[in-house]
Amino acid sequence: MAHCYQRNKRRTEPLHRYLLTYQRNKRRRVNPVKASELPFDVITEILSCLPVDSLLRFRCVCKQWFSLIQDLQFIAKHMDRARPLQYSCALIKQETKKLEVVVDENLKFLKRCSGLFLEKSLNSQVCWIRNPATHQVLYLPNAHESAEIMDFVFNPSTHECKVVCVGEAGFEVITVGKDEQWRPLKRPNQDVPQQHSKKALNLKYLKATNKAEGIGHLVIVIVDGNDLCLEIQSLDIWNECFTTTMVPRGFLVDLRKVLISYWKQCVSFTEIAEGKLNMLVLEDVKEHKWSRKQIPVPSEFLKDQNFPNRKASKFILCDMERLIIKKVMYLENGKKYLTSMQYKPSLIALKGMQSERAGVEVEL
């Protein structure tokens, strides 16, 4: 019996030591703070720093967290703190000298705003708004067959969203979540090409920048006999109204060869003359305020005298702050140039959005 007792004692001694050690550590251990005991402001700050995928899972923690993650102010705070992500795409210059951004063989990228992407099928008129972070998509009514350009604006404060379609048929607009069909917008002097001897030589639409104003610009080259002038019809997408501005004469030499683009989110007209990049910038649309800029052009960039002719295959990159030319790219028709762009992921969900998987049956 004594022998059996000693043998059982040796077997149980390690277990006794473990239990005693566990009890001592348990007395010393500090109790963890429960989430319910933290001030809600602290919880909000912590959650606003987490990635979108985590927040989508945390919606089911409790009703309070579910409501918080859908709150407009929280969504705005989260997006301000979100780290930009890389999005792979490709640049393609079409035979029409138009530069397009494509994602794959089925769709092209049109615009991004507040973490939302406006995209369109390459094979049909199907278009949609997608949130790549939440994997949700909202399909829009099919665009008009003559639609060449699409634009959209988003208000982070109210989550109101409008999409504009520009083409031979004119302007069409849709308010997301309210309109079921595109609504036509009549622009000023829409019938000018049919009046008298005036002709519209060229049209170009500059999409609205991400500024809150939400203004897009249609630039028209009007020819009246030997007279040539540039007219800007600025569309306030939110109010659905136009403002017309005439481009001042005398600063640009040949209006047919100017490069029309944005300069610090303002419409600009650019040409190369006497070794300089001359720019005429529309600083204020409502006040019709203009300014002039000049950038010295390095001699190696002057070899192709056709630039900035719109038929040229040359694209220029400028440093807006230091007013210097950084790089010149030559793009061939139909050739893909792989690149990437940055976007900030967001929790924004438009009315009517559904999971991307639910829309796989839509014919692109």
Side-chain angles (χ1 to χ4, degrees):
M1 292 293 292
H3 177 72
C4 292
Y5 172 78
Q6 291 295 333
R7 185 174 58 186
N8 292 335
K9 184 178 179 182
R10 287 195 299 271
R11 288 178 179 176
T12 56
E13 273 184 350
L15 178 61
H16 284 299
R17 286 197 300 271
Y18 172 79
L19 292 175
L20 290 174
T21 303
Y22 175 80
Q23 292 293 334
R24 287 196 297 268
N25 291 340
K26 187 177 180 180
R27 296 190 195 100
R28 298 172 184 174
R29 190 176 300 162
V30 178
N31 292 330
V33 179
K34 297 181 180 179
S36 58
E37 298 174 355
L38 287 173
F40 191 64
D41 290 344
V42 176
I43 295 177
T44 302
E45 290 296 315
I46 295 173
L47 293 179
S48 66
C49 298
L50 299 181
V52 172
D53 290 342
S54 299
L55 293 175
L56 295 178
R57 295 196 303 270
F58 292 163
R59 290 181 300 181
C60 62
V61 171
C62 62
K63 291 182 179 179
Q64 191 179 33
W65 284 27
F66 181 84
S67 299
L68 172 66
I69 294 172
Q70 295 188 107
D71 180 72
L72 301 187
Q73 292 183 354
F74 176 81
I75 291 175
K77 176 186 288 188
H78 174 267
M79 188 171 179
D80 288 339
R81 298 181 174 183
R83 292 183 178 180
L85 300 179
Q86 294 290 333
Y87 186 71
S88 299
C89 57
L91 294 176
I92 297 182
K93 193 176 79 63
Q94 305 293 353
E95 293 183 359
T96 57
K97 313 305 177 186
K98 183 179 179 182
L99 192 64
E100 290 186 342
V101 181
V102 298
V103 179
D104 54 35
E105 65 276 4
N106 294 322
L107 64 95
K108 64 179 178 180
F109 171 86
L110 299 177
K111 187 179 178 181
R112 70 179 183 273
C113 182
S114 298
L116 300 175
F117 287 11
L118 177 63
E119 298 170 331
K120 183 179 179 297
S121 170
L122 287 172
N123 307 314
S124 68
Q125 296 304 108
V126 178
C127 51
W128 59 88
I129 298 176
R130 183 170 65 93
N131 186 330
T134 62
H135 306 288
Q136 288 186 312
V137 63
L138 173 65
Y139 288 92
L140 303 172
N142 286 3
H144 196 277
E145 292 183 359
S146 65
E148 299 177 355
I149 301 173
M150 297 187 70
D151 194 5
F152 89 111
V153 291
F154 178 80
N155 188 333
S157 302
T158 63
H159 280 204
E160 183 182 3
C161 181
K162 284 191 175 186
V163 184
V164 174
C165 192
V166 186
E168 294 179 1
F171 281 80
E172 293 181 318
V173 65
I174 188 171
T175 301
V176 176
K178 293 182 180 180
D179 297 332
E180 296 182 357
Q181 298 295 331
W182 295 93
R183 294 181 286 107
L185 290 178
K186 187 173 181 180
R187 58 184 176 84
N189 304 323
Q190 187 169 348
D191 300 326
V192 163
Q194 287 74 38
Q195 290 180 357
H196 309 295
S197 60
K198 292 186 178 181
K199 295 181 180 180
L201 181 66
N202 209 340
L203 300 175
K204 178 171 182 175
Y205 180 80
L206 296 179
K207 297 178 182 180
T209 63
N210 290 332
K211 294 197 301 184
E213 289 85 349
I215 300 178
H217 307 274
L218 180 68
V219 181
I220 308 172
V221 180
I222 299 177
V223 179
D224 187 1
N226 295 326
D227 193 18
L228 190 70
C229 63
L230 288 176
E231 180 180 278
I232 307 174
Q233 295 179 359
S234 303
L235 170 62
D236 184 336
I237 300 177
W238 292 120
N239 297 318
E240 300 181 10
C241 62
F242 288 86
T243 300
T244 302
T245 307
M246 299 303 298
V247 177
R249 304 188 185 190
F251 183 71
L252 301 173
V253 178
D254 191 347
L255 296 181
R256 301 172 190 264
K257 295 183 179 182
V258 297
L259 176 67
I260 306 170
S261 61
Y262 276 116
W263 174 271
K264 295 185 178 180
Q265 300 188 345
C266 295
V267 182
S268 68
F269 299 84
T270 310
E271 68 174 359
I272 289 182
E274 299 179 354
K276 294 181 180 179
L277 202 64
N278 296 324
M279 302 184 66
L280 195 59
V281 183
L282 180 58
E283 301 278 0
D284 193 313
V285 174
K286 296 181 180 179
E287 299 295 331
H288 306 286
K289 180 181 177 182
W290 294 85
S291 64
R292 298 179 179 182
K293 312 287 182 183
Q294 285 189 335
I295 303 176
V297 180
S299 57
E300 60 267 25
F301 296 154
L302 296 174
K303 295 178 181 179
D304 185 355
Q305 297 297 329
N306 290 327
F307 180 79
N309 191 311
R310 300 173 65 84
K311 297 182 180 180
S313 301
K314 199 172 185 181
F315 295 84
I316 204 164
L317 299 178
C318 298
D319 187 322
M320 302 298 187
E321 299 297 331
R322 294 186 293 170
L323 299 181
I324 60 173
I325 294 179
K326 297 173 61 177
K327 183 180 180 182
V328 171
M329 299 186 300
Y330 295 87
L331 304 184
E332 300 176 10
N333 291 339
K335 186 176 180 180
K336 287 186 178 181
Y337 296 84
L338 298 180
T339 183
S340 64
M341 57 185 176
Q342 287 189 339
Y343 78 99
K344 275 198 168 187
S346 73
L347 292 161
I348 294 171
L350 301 176
K351 183 180 179 181
M353 269 190 163
Q354 57 181 333
S355 171
E356 285 184 300
R357 294 182 179 179
V360 294
E361 297 181 358
V362 176
E363 184 178 352
L364 300 181

